[in-house]
Amino acid sequence: MSHVQDQPTEATADEQGADDPTTTDAARTRKRRRTAIIVAVAVLVVAAVVTAVLAVRVSASTPAEAVSATAPVPITVAHVPDGTKIGVVVTLGDGEGAQWDDAAQGALVAQRRLELGGTDVQLVTKNDGGSADGARKAVEALAADGVSGIVVATSGDHVRGAYTAAADAGIPVVAPYAAGGDDAWSTAPSTESVAAALQDALGDVASPLLVDLGGGAPSGVRFAHVLDATSAPDLGALATTIAQRTGAAAGSTDAATTDGQEGTVQAGTTQTGTTQDGAQQAAPDSDAVVVSGPAGRQGALVAALQEANVTAPVVLTPEATSPAFAAALAQAGGSLSGTFRTVGVETDDARALSSNAEGRAMSAFLGGVRVLADDADAKNLTGDRSFASVATVADARSHDAVVALVTAVGSARSTDVSKVSDALAGLDLGADDGLAGPALDFGARQALGDRAGVLAASAQGLGLRPATADDGATPALVWFSDSTD
């Protein structure tokens, strides 16, 4: 501390005098008092800093600067046989679930951390194309490759094809971004807790409007009005409609809406006014908006809502925690510094702000991200980009799925899928086992026990991921628990 270093001359003289037999009792007393005062001041300063950091972490609307935490980056799992393979199913392109492709790169961080701990594991990646048939074929190919477990790092109805094929082959599946069911373990929040968190995010609003971009109506949440926009091609016109419905553009007749752009309005919504082409315009009837659908469409719509000056609260479904949301928002010319709210559990970099075991575990994961990004030869899961280009968004959820499956292999001391599946069902893992996110109990198919809460986002980097000069790097938001809710 600077308070100690500001006294070099006197401290040195005292230290020299301490060994001098001619030093007086008064001088020794002065030295002890001075030392006690310096120590007391240092303790008070440290306490004040810690208190300030924790206060900011709890109350701020954006994450505080990260508190430095050191933790071992390597992960050690004993008794993992040589040649162990773990499959990873991703969706590339524009298919259903493609929003998680970049997030899934966290699996590579787990692989590198395990390697640093002395465990070599091969990751085998297959693209399911976003279809049930593609998911089935991807799992069948992984089974032929001899994988001991599979991370289904995608979401949507099509993943059922992967689950069924894996069940037929007896291969354990962990799904970090989708519901599980009878044939897979899910480490995503339960449907029930997501519904409750969405209701919490809406608070006491009286007339919420659901804008369905293809995600459907969230189960268990009541909406006063529903705007079916699954096939709306013009998100700018859709944003104008939403602005009118929420009062941001009430009375405007210049912005036209055309048939098919507004979609199907349900729940007895009234309509007033006409546009230049004769289409009806909606009167204000909604005081909040919930946007449901793929992350890319959500991001593009939010950019349009920013342009339309919509001021009503906007709540996004959990797909928004995907890197695709920020990427689409930026590509559409939107601001990453806006106010964004969704629901989920805290699995992002903000966990590293805590000084407990969970914070140190996230810091270790982020240390692994930096190690891998510094490797010029490291590629992404499909080998077509450098890992450095996705290091800003590689995700703890996919990382933890790989750690869980490899731990099950070690517990089984075998790559036999039936033994690995049995071992996985007996695991209860936490930060001490290498997880970067919340604890997981695989005694139930819903392995994540933490309930979803309201999350807010910040474009403020925490300085824990490697800076990249790669122009193709994915822009990122940091999602953290919204304690203001």
Side-chain angles (χ1 to χ4, degrees):
M1 299 292 291
S2 60
H3 297 79
V4 177
Q5 295 171 349
D6 287 343
Q7 316 279 343
T9 304
E10 293 185 15
T12 302
D14 284 335
E15 289 167 2
Q16 293 171 344
D19 296 326
D20 188 345
T22 64
T23 301
T24 66
D25 290 341
R28 294 192 185 96
T29 299
R30 285 196 302 273
K31 174 181 178 295
R32 286 195 294 269
R33 287 176 179 171
R34 187 179 300 112
T35 300
I37 291 171
I38 291 171
V39 170
V41 170
V43 169
L44 288 173
V45 170
V46 170
V49 170
V50 170
T51 300
V53 168
L54 292 178
V56 170
R57 174 68 180 89
V58 170
S59 62
S61 59
T62 58
E65 290 189 4
V67 179
S68 177
T70 58
V73 172
I75 295 176
T76 301
V77 178
H79 310 303
V80 176
D82 292 340
T84 295
K85 298 179 182 179
I86 301 295
V88 182
V89 176
V90 297
T91 303
L92 305 181
D94 298 324
E96 180 185 67
Q99 60 206 5
W100 303 111
D101 175 30
D102 283 346
Q105 308 304 319
L108 289 164
V109 181
Q111 181 190 36
R112 178 57 62 91
R113 294 182 67 194
L114 287 161
E115 178 186 333
L116 292 173
T119 301
D120 290 329
V121 174
Q122 181 181 349
L123 297 183
V124 184
T125 305
K126 299 295 180 183
N127 170 26
D128 68 10
S131 71
D133 187 56
R136 177 184 58 79
K137 290 179 178 177
V139 168
E140 289 174 349
L142 290 172
D145 283 334
V147 301
S148 297
I150 297 174
V151 178
V152 174
T154 180
S155 66
D157 292 339
H158 82 281
V159 300
R160 299 295 171 184
Y163 295 170
T164 300
D168 290 343
I171 304 174
V173 167
V174 177
Y177 309 116
D182 294 337
D183 298 325
W185 282 271
S186 173
T187 60
S190 69
T191 301
E192 295 76 15
S193 73
V194 166
L198 282 172
Q199 203 66 60
D200 288 343
L202 289 171
D204 57 359
V205 300
S207 186
L209 168 68
L210 171 65
V211 180
D212 182 5
L213 296 175
S219 175
V221 183
R222 295 180 62 85
F223 298 97
H225 314 286
V226 177
L227 190 56
D228 181 359
T230 54
S231 60
D234 187 344
L235 295 183
L238 178 61
T240 298
T241 297
I242 296 169
Q244 293 163 353
R245 297 288 296 269
T246 58
S252 172
T253 59
D254 295 331
T257 58
T258 60
D259 291 340
Q261 291 176 338
E262 180 178 339
T264 303
V265 182
Q266 301 175 359
T269 301
T270 57
Q271 304 279 335
T272 61
T274 58
T275 64
Q276 293 174 347
D277 62 358
Q280 285 187 319
Q281 231 175 280
D285 60 3
S286 304
D287 54 1
V289 179
V290 173
V291 181
S292 172
R297 296 204 76 202
Q298 288 196 48
L301 177 60
V302 168
L305 293 177
Q306 291 176 343
E307 179 69 19
N309 295 317
V310 171
T311 57
V314 176
V315 180
L316 310 167
T317 51
E319 290 83 0
T321 62
S322 153
F325 171 79
L329 176 63
Q331 185 175 8
S335 171
L336 293 177
S337 299
T339 301
F340 312 114
R341 298 181 89 207
T342 187
V343 298
V345 297
E346 200 172 36
T347 60
D348 217 336
D349 299 7
R351 286 179 67 89
L353 300 176
S354 301
S355 58
N356 56 18
E358 287 72 22
R360 291 190 292 273
M362 176 57 76
S363 292
F365 163 74
L366 293 170
V369 172
R370 295 192 296 273
V371 166
L372 197 54
D374 287 341
D375 183 350
D377 295 327
K379 300 293 184 182
N380 66 349
L381 284 167
T382 48
D384 57 341
R385 296 174 64 187
S386 68
F387 178 81
S389 69
V390 294
T392 54
V393 291
D395 171 294
R397 290 169 283 187
S398 56
H399 166 277
D400 288 357
V402 171
V403 171
L405 285 169
V406 174
T407 302
V409 172
S411 181
R413 302 190 178 205
S414 171
T415 58
D416 179 86
V417 292
S418 63
K419 294 180 180 178
V420 173
S421 186
D422 289 342
L424 182 62
L427 292 182
D428 187 354
L429 305 177
D432 292 341
D433 303 296
L435 298 190
L440 301 172
D441 183 356
F442 291 92
R445 292 291 183 172
Q446 178 59 48
L448 176 66
D450 286 12
R451 296 188 62 79
V454 182
L455 302 177
S458 173
Q460 173 189 340
L462 301 183
L464 296 175
R465 289 183 184 256
T468 177
D470 189 336
D471 292 337
T474 305
L477 290 170
V478 177
W479 293 95
F480 59 98
S481 179
D482 186 1
S483 58
T484 64
D485 180 67

